Amino acid sequence: MSKFMSRRVLIPLVLLMATAVAALGLYLFQPWRIFTSSTATEGLPSFAPTPIPSSESAGDSAPAPTPLAPRELVSGELISHEHASSGSVRILELPDGSRILRFEGLDTSDGPDLKVWLSDAPVIEGTAGWHVFDDGAYLSLGALKASKGDQNYEIPAGTVLGDYSSVSIWCARFAVSFAAAELRM
């Protein structure tokens, strides 16, 4: 009778543990993201110059001022790390003095807990470059907005860009780079 009772208890216990392990695996790995993607299409910010009041009569029509364009500070091309990725990265200074990091033509995989990081780490091709971006200084610009498209990330005021030489799309869940770009003038 005790052998029968132990099986009655053991089988549900094993099933419960297997369910808990499967649920934890699903939470951590989120395998359905292999089949998902999202696209963001953000334009370049533009600024119109402040019009200067004219002393001429109101009937005169002056041409509309040309919008001021952002100035490119550094740029780079993404290389693949953990996941196949492509696209370009630019850091732009806007006419108001603020700066943004901009992905153009981004195409990477969806994944759990993806971040956009400025880093002082070198960009190394292959598996040797997958884990270097959290070894030194890095600055998170926030969660990756989408796995595809053109998107802008505000760089906090006071950030010294000279402290950072690369950009990484970083998976915080597994401490691995999906893609990275070396920033060059």
Side-chain angles (χ1 to χ4, degrees), residues 11 24 44 87 90 93 104 122 143 148 153 173-174 178:
I11 291 174
L24 180 63
L44 271 172
R90 300 191 305 158
E93 183 176 62
E104 293 178 335
K148 299 182 184 321
Y153 296 85
R173 170 96 27 99
F174 295 105
F178 272 35

Side-chain angles (χ1 to χ4, degrees), residues 119-142:
S119 172
D120 67 350
V123 176
I124 302 167
E125 292 197 35
T127 57
W130 290 12
H131 302 283
V132 300
F133 295 96
D134 60 349
D135 292 345
Y138 61 88
L139 173 66
S140 178
L141 301 181

Side-chain angles (χ1 to χ4, degrees), residues 75-156:
S75 64
E77 292 295 319
L78 288 171
I79 65 164
S80 300
H81 276 152
E82 172 69 25
H83 291 265
S85 303
S86 62
S88 62
V89 180
R90 300 191 305 158
I91 293 184
L92 304 170
E93 183 176 62
L94 305 178
D96 67 357
S98 64
R99 296 167 297 176
I100 61 168
L101 181 142
R102 178 169 173 79
F103 287 117
E104 293 178 335
L106 174 65
D107 188 0
T108 191
S109 299
D110 196 3
D113 205 13
L114 296 180
K115 307 289 184 199
V116 176
W117 280 10
L118 286 174
S119 172
D120 67 350
V123 176
I124 302 167
E125 292 197 35
T127 57
W130 290 12
H131 302 283
V132 300
F133 295 96
D134 60 349
D135 292 345
Y138 61 88
L139 173 66
S140 178
L141 301 181
L144 185 70
K145 296 175 183 177
S147 58
K148 299 182 184 321
D150 303 331
Q151 41 202 278
N152 304 318
Y153 296 85
E154 183 178 330
I155 297 173

